[in-house]
Amino acid sequence: MIRDDIKQHTITAMKAGDKERTAALRLVSAKIKDRDIEARTGKAPANDDDLVIEVLQKMAKQRRESITMYVDGGREELAEQERKELAIIEEFLPSQMDEAQTRAAIEDVKSTLGADSIKDMGRVMAELKARHGAELDMSRASALVKESLT
């Protein structure tokens, strides 16, 4: 399980004295615990790995946005810190589909659903998320679906 891998890597980083990695992994663990608490009152994913992947994807997205903002603001040292955290987070995410694979998945879903107009975008996105949620960057996929349906 991904949660166990994160715990093991945290212990290894602590033993190695890698403070930056330890801090980043502890941050990940804290976010996962926060999500566990939220899941008690709401609808929780059936699979624990799905919950962890959801948290990791959200954290990765936040880091990417922060990097863009820091670079635009001329704060390269903060952007570099975010890049390091992003690299650690991405270690635990499933490998992401490249653009060609994403386009192929979109075409497959379009043909299965018979989608041919922008009105079908919601159905296509829902099916893409159901089939490839963990290995697909949904914001990038959204732009490709829109392009494909127009």
Side-chain angles (χ1 to χ4, degrees):
M1 289 175 58
I2 299 172
R3 186 185 302 253
D4 296 332
D5 290 343
I6 292 170
K7 287 179 185 175
Q8 284 303 116
H9 283 264
T10 303
I11 292 168
T12 304
M14 287 187 324
K15 286 180 179 178
D18 188 346
K19 292 181 182 180
E20 285 183 0
R21 185 171 175 80
T22 302
L25 290 169
R26 283 183 174 162
L27 181 65
V28 169
S29 294
K31 289 291 186 185
I32 292 170
K33 286 179 186 174
D34 287 347
R35 183 64 176 94
D36 287 341
I37 292 167
E38 288 175 20
R40 289 183 200 156
T41 59
K43 188 184 113 193
N47 184 351
D48 184 59
D49 278 353
D50 291 343
L51 181 136
V52 173
I53 288 171
E54 182 180 305
V55 170
L56 292 173
Q57 286 176 329
K58 189 173 187 176
M59 290 180 75
K61 180 181 177 187
Q62 289 169 341
R63 297 304 175 284
R64 287 185 196 101
E65 290 170 355
S66 295
I67 290 167
T68 303
M69 288 181 358
Y70 288 143
V71 168
D72 291 346
R75 301 294 308 265
E76 192 57 43
E77 68 283 355
L78 294 174
E80 187 57 34
Q81 177 64 32
E82 293 290 320
R83 284 186 195 102
K84 289 176 184 176
E85 286 183 11
L86 179 60
I88 292 168
I89 292 166
E90 286 178 337
E91 287 178 28
F92 300 100
L93 282 170
S95 61
Q96 298 290 298
M97 297 171 82
D98 64 16
E99 187 171 338
Q101 292 170 322
T102 302
R103 287 184 187 276
I106 290 168
E107 292 306 315
D108 182 44
V109 169
K110 276 178 48 183
S111 66
T112 302
L113 297 177
D116 58 358
S117 74
I118 196 71
K119 292 179 183 179
D120 298 316
M121 185 167 174
R123 290 186 323 139
V124 172
M125 289 301 296
E127 186 63 24
L128 270 175
K129 186 169 186 172
R131 289 186 192 180
H132 307 286
E135 63 261 351
L136 193 61
D137 178 359
M138 295 308 287
S139 60
R140 191 174 70 190
S142 176
L144 294 174
V145 168
K146 189 178 235 178
E147 174 188 314
S148 176
L149 290 173
T150 54

